[in-house]
Amino acid sequence: MMTRSYVNCIVFLGLGLLSLTQPLYCWCETQASALKTNLILNGGFETPSDDLNFPLGWIPLIKGNVTTKWTDSEAHSGKRCIEMAADFDEKWGHAYWNSFPFKVKPGIAYQISFHYKAVGYGIPVFKLKNIKHWRLFPGDTKGEWIYHEDTVVIPPGITSTLFSAHNYHRRSKTLWVDDVSLYELPLEDSPLTKRLTAARFAIDALIKNSEALELTSVQKAEQSALQNHLAGAQKVYAELKSRHATVEDFKAMNAGLEKIEKMLGTYLFTLTLITPDEWEKGERQANKINRHETIKVQTTSDSGILYFMSVKNLIDEGLPMRVVLTKSKKERQWNAHLLVTPAYPVVLAGNKETANMEWGKLNTLGEVFLPPDVARFFRIELDPNEIKPGKYRFGIRIECLDRVAESGQIDIRVEVKAKKTRQN
């Protein structure tokens, strides 16, 4: 059996114990050899320590009626592994092994893997101190070794850690662990590289897709700042590859990437409100970068309200979104519907989009997908359903699901007036 999981990138802030002006030769010049070195000493448990009852590089700890053992009868590979066992009547016992501490580099990605098997019920817990812990398969593995692998990113300020395997609060549970390894991943697989690449593609697409839009002076300045932040991050990355980057350079690079990612969150998509007349005329193209609109309309209790909305992706990758129509209990008697067109490019007739489109319901969560540089169109239908006169309010909220981004919002304010009675 094998389990895999991957963690989100954690931003880089510093390298702790290193001098703020020291070039990171230790990272670049020894990278090739470091990638092949298991940072966990004696991860296969084959080498004894000075005390021949314990493996080199590992320390057992016990609390309660539990035992630890460096066993030669249950190994996954080689001849040895570690064991943790709790007595049948022990309810609160805790047996675990700690590796010796080892150095790691903040902001750098590492791959960890290990094997374990168990007898009895209870969730085994494995930890990289101050970085991450894993609660894995809780049952009896029936003599089968389970392989677990993960990729972790070292948080800011963490320069050393240790690996722990825990068997605790489990009556009659026995746990074996073998072949523990932790390897530094190459620069190409680091979160800094992936963040920088994603930022470059997103900014290039945004600038291209903004050429036909009317930008405010603030938006123009922010897009220029985006390009400047990107250029600064790329410069530091080039220094890293050429073995000249310092800790301060890394801090500057991370700060630049954080600014880029935050600013991009306001430019991932644009929404356009479309009246029924504009829709019939085919006037549906976005002409500005916009996130908020307000509709104020008066109607009678027997007249419906119809509007259309376009949501267009402005970057080079697809965006999973949530679009929902919101209302309070006061509006529960209204017949309110939000429909959407399929996710494919609209056919053009001359310079105008064709008026004929298929409309479908959103799923219960309001999830939609925005392809790159393609608009999704929404149909807003509000029927007062003979409701009494008064003021009512609806909202449409547009949220990005896979990253932090400024949401879009349409605020709909409706005043229902009494129907005029016919006079004799």
Side-chain angles (χ1 to χ4, degrees):
M1 298 176 65
M2 174 177 174
T3 60
R4 287 178 182 266
S5 59
Y6 295 89
V7 296
N8 292 330
C9 290
I10 304 173
V11 297
F12 179 94
L13 293 179
L15 289 182
L17 299 179
L18 291 176
S19 166
L20 295 182
T21 58
Q22 176 186 359
L24 297 181
Y25 296 131
C26 59
W27 191 87
C28 299
E29 292 182 343
T30 63
Q31 182 181 11
S33 59
L35 298 180
K36 299 178 182 179
T37 301
N38 185 1
L39 298 182
I40 298 178
L41 178 63
N42 195 24
F45 305 103
E46 299 300 311
T47 306
S49 65
D50 292 339
D51 183 339
L52 299 182
N53 293 314
F54 299 101
L56 177 67
W58 293 87
I59 300 173
L61 297 107
I62 59 174
K63 296 179 181 179
N65 295 321
V66 296
T67 60
T68 59
K69 184 179 180 181
W70 182 37
T71 180
D72 59 359
S73 63
E74 299 288 344
H76 172 261
S77 68
K79 297 181 179 180
R80 296 273 192 162
C81 69
I82 54 174
E83 175 184 297
M84 293 147 276
D87 289 356
F88 177 80
D89 295 326
E90 178 55 67
K91 185 177 180 180
W92 303 110
H94 185 184
Y96 60 105
W97 288 82
N98 284 347
S99 75
F100 282 7
F102 51 89
K103 293 182 179 180
V104 289
K105 302 162 186 173
I108 301 301
Y110 292 79
Q111 179 176 292
I112 185 169
S113 65
F114 51 86
H115 290 79
Y116 73 96
K117 70 175 181 177
V119 172
Y121 182 85
I123 300 174
V125 176
F126 303 89
K127 298 180 180 179
L128 274 178
K129 185 179 179 181
N130 297 324
I131 298 173
K132 189 175 182 180
H133 74 272
W134 298 266
R135 297 170 61 86
L136 302 179
F137 176 67
D140 193 314
T141 66
K142 309 299 183 182
E144 181 180 2
W145 284 91
I146 295 179
Y147 174 73
H148 182 77
E149 177 185 299
D150 199 357
T151 299
V152 296
V153 179
I154 308 305
I158 302 299
T159 57
S160 67
T161 186
L162 58 83
F163 177 83
S164 298
H166 296 254
N167 181 25
Y168 61 97
H169 303 174
R170 310 300 177 198
R171 289 179 176 176
S172 201
K173 174 84 170 185
T174 302
L175 179 68
W176 294 270
V177 179
D178 201 1
D179 296 329
V180 183
S181 65
L182 185 80
Y183 295 97
E184 181 181 327
L185 292 176
L187 179 60
E188 291 74 15
D189 294 331
S190 75
L192 292 175
T193 302
K194 295 176 181 178
R195 291 171 66 197
L196 183 60
T197 301
R200 178 170 60 84
F201 282 125
I203 292 174
D204 288 348
L206 173 63
I207 300 302
K208 178 183 177 182
N209 293 330
S210 298
E211 291 176 352
L213 303 177
E214 299 175 4
L215 302 181
T216 66
S217 58
V218 172
Q219 290 171 338
K220 291 178 181 178
E222 287 182 342
Q223 291 198 5
S224 179
L226 272 172
Q227 292 174 303
N228 291 336
H229 291 316
L230 178 63
Q234 288 176 322
K235 181 180 178 181
V236 175
Y237 190 78
E239 292 174 347
L240 170 61
K241 294 183 71 173
S242 64
R243 308 177 183 179
H244 295 296
T246 66
V247 172
E248 285 300 305
D249 290 328
F250 269 102
K251 289 183 178 180
M253 180 178 180
N254 181 74
L257 286 173
E258 283 188 329
K259 289 179 181 178
I260 289 170
E261 291 156 354
K262 183 178 180 179
M263 292 172 68
L264 278 172
T266 66
Y267 287 100
L268 296 177
F269 65 90
T270 184
L271 71 85
T272 303
L273 190 62
I274 306 168
T275 66
D277 287 342
E278 292 170 334
W279 182 264
E280 290 301 321
K281 295 176 182 178
E283 298 174 359
R284 307 168 194 169
Q285 294 286 352
N287 57 18
K288 60 182 179 179
I289 298 179
N290 180 45
R291 291 292 176 91
H292 301 92
E293 289 282 1
T294 299
I295 299 174
K296 295 181 179 180
V297 61
Q298 293 181 346
T299 189
T300 58
S301 59
D302 60 351
S303 298
I305 298 169
L306 176 65
Y307 272 88
F308 298 88
M309 174 181 71
S310 163
V311 181
K312 185 176 182 180
N313 184 349
L314 295 178
I315 62 172
D316 64 320
E317 58 181 302
L319 295 174
M321 310 288 291
R322 177 178 290 121
V323 183
V324 293
L325 175 65
T326 61
K327 58 182 180 179
S328 67
K329 291 182 179 180
K330 184 179 179 182
E331 291 82 24
R332 64 181 180 274
Q333 295 182 4
W334 286 66
N335 292 324
H337 302 286
L338 184 62
L339 306 177
V340 65
T341 55
Y344 53 73
V346 177
V347 178
L348 297 180
N351 293 324
K352 296 181 179 180
E353 296 162 354
T354 58
N356 296 324
M357 284 189 178
E358 298 177 0
W359 296 99
K361 293 182 178 180
L362 284 79
N363 64 29
T364 55
L365 296 178
E367 295 171 335
V368 295
F369 182 76
L370 295 185
D373 196 28
V374 174
R376 296 295 295 272
F377 293 98
F378 297 82
R379 182 184 176 98
I380 308 164
E381 299 176 354
L382 303 176
D383 181 1
N385 194 27
E386 298 295 334
I387 202 167
K388 66 180 181 180
K391 293 183 179 181
Y392 301 88
R393 189 167 180 174
F394 301 84
I396 296 176
R397 187 170 180 84
I398 305 105
E399 299 174 323
C400 191
L401 295 178
D402 67 344
R403 67 200 73 197
V404 177
E406 180 187 344
S407 61
Q409 179 75 30
I410 294 183
D411 187 20
I412 306 172
R413 301 175 185 179
V414 183
E415 182 178 2
V416 177
K417 292 184 171 294
K419 291 184 291 185
K420 294 183 179 179
T421 58
R422 183 178 297 178
Q423 298 179 349
N424 294 329

